[in-house]
Amino acid sequence: MPKEYTFLEMCGIAFIASLILFVLNRIFQLIYLCYLGPPMKQVDFPSKGQWAVVTGCTDGIGKQYAHELASRGCDIVLISRSMEKLEMTADELAKYGVTTKIIQADFTEGDEIYNKIEKELADLEIGTLVNNVGVSYTYPEFFLEIPDRTWYRWSKWSYDIASEMAVTQINPISKKLASRGCDIILISRSMEKLEMTAEELGAKYGVTTKIIQADFTEGEEVYDKIEKEIADLEIGTLVNNVGVSYTYPEFFLEIPDRNKTVDNIIKANCLPVTRMTSIVMPGMKKRGKGVIVNIGSASSMIPSPLLTVYAASKAYVDKFTEGINMEYSKHGIIVQCVLPGFVCSNMSGIRRSSFFAPTAKQFVRSAIRLVGTTSRTNGYLPHALFVKTLNAIYSLTGPFAIWLVTRSMENSRRKALKKKGKLEVSNA
Ligand SMILES: NC(=O)c1ccc[n+]([C@@H]2O[C@H](COP(=O)([O-])OP(=O)(O)OC[C@H]3O[C@@H](n4cnc5c(N)ncnc54)[C@H](OP(=O)(O)O)[C@@H]3O)[C@@H](O)[C@H]2O)c1
């Protein structure tokens, strides 16, 4: 007599069967795409433009891309550091009968290498670009133990002052920390705004403040200055809040003064989080306590066309925080990434608060309560709801979600350009 299944058992079996089918489908798709895909679907690279550019091309994956592209008939521009290895690679590619061009460039150097590359590539029709260059640790290492972290000089530090200090760059956050009794170090560009904020905090909360004027888009000397200024202070809380964005949503190639703008976004959004952590966290580790709050952005969690560089820079903040939390939470350090949606501020340009765009004060009041409860948060319930809903739509119907977001970004862009046009006309 066949076994009779209850309704619940049948649901369970159906669920497991669909799960198995789903996994098998994904595996089949992978095998099909990697090994069985119809050859006519493959890209004819030379038809996109005769030249292919490969960065970091003298070893490993980059070198193999150069070979594959040459074997498909592309002429190759090879960009790497070592002239010897570049010449060897160019010799190897000769067997495909293609032309090669060598550009010696070290991507860890300054702006001048991009000028040089731009000049060298000016007359070539480039159809393919493989951005392969990349460096990593020489072996897996905890952040504070990375060899040759030149900006970190342990021996200079001393820890005599007992007061808990907070380093911060934002008004509402520093107010909230001051209201909880923290002395505050304020770091920003504008001395006038720094002095106003310090005065306000001192008068209202009776805490000590220290001002450091620094522009994070400048070079190495900024971090040397900050390190010197806070060397004798026992810092309990670090809020990495500094951030810059586009003045309005824009397509990558249309960003005004593109190279400078994107350089500044990367410099102000990625480097300070890393360097400030590097300066402050050794003391926290030594004392076995501390709080580091890194302000990312919800834009790195959702589709963000027309804010591409900003969202990508904030994805760095998110990933950096995740790793630091995994490495150092066991030393008593609370590490948290806060990923806000829209908040009324100079950056967002939003002046009137709403359900989805709170004032900075409302936002920080909500977010600061979550320190120590979770290592990754939107900080504010409506922002979390927005992200979850948009991502649910994205996973159900990707093209619709992308259309929706792109349309809304294009609308903001149009409005901003119209306003800018009007301003320019009235100024003329
Ligand atoms: N507002 C939003 O809708 C929103 C949404 C998601 C994420 N976020 C993130 O939240 C953080 C704060 O944003 P916000 O809206 O409060 O921005 P904001 O009003 O523009 O404030 C930015 C702060 O950073 C300082 N700053 C900017 N560039 C600097 C530089 N190069 N060097 C040193 N200090 C600099 C500014 O002071 P000075 O002008 O005196 O230098 C200011 O104190 C940012 O990381 C942002 O990406 C904001």
Side-chain angles (χ1 to χ4, degrees), residues 169-170 187-190 193 214-217 241-244 268 295-297 310 314 340-343 345-348:
Q169 301 107 348
I170 194 176
I187 310 180
S188 269
R189 284 169 305 187
S190 146
K193 288 203 253 171
D215 184 341
F216 285 108
T217 58
N241 166 74
V242 66
V244 293
I295 311 295
S297 165
Y310 174 71
K314 289 299 185 177
F342 285 122
V343 176
S345 77
N346 285 341
M347 177 187 284
S348 65

Side-chain angles (χ1 to χ4, degrees), residues 29-79:
Q29 270 184 23
L30 264 180
I31 294 172
Y32 179 78
L33 279 178
C34 292
Y35 301 109
L36 307 171
M40 72 259 208
K41 262 206 157 174
Q42 294 200 354
V43 169
D44 173 20
F45 291 95
S47 74
K48 306 281 176 196
Q50 185 50 38
W51 285 88
V53 177
V54 186
T55 67
C57 57
T58 53
D59 268 316
I61 295 172
K63 188 168 169 173
Q64 287 318 309
Y65 265 102
H67 274 268
E68 288 293 335
L69 289 164
S71 75
R72 285 163 166 77
C74 287
D75 293 332
I76 311 283
V77 182
L78 300 159
I79 311 182

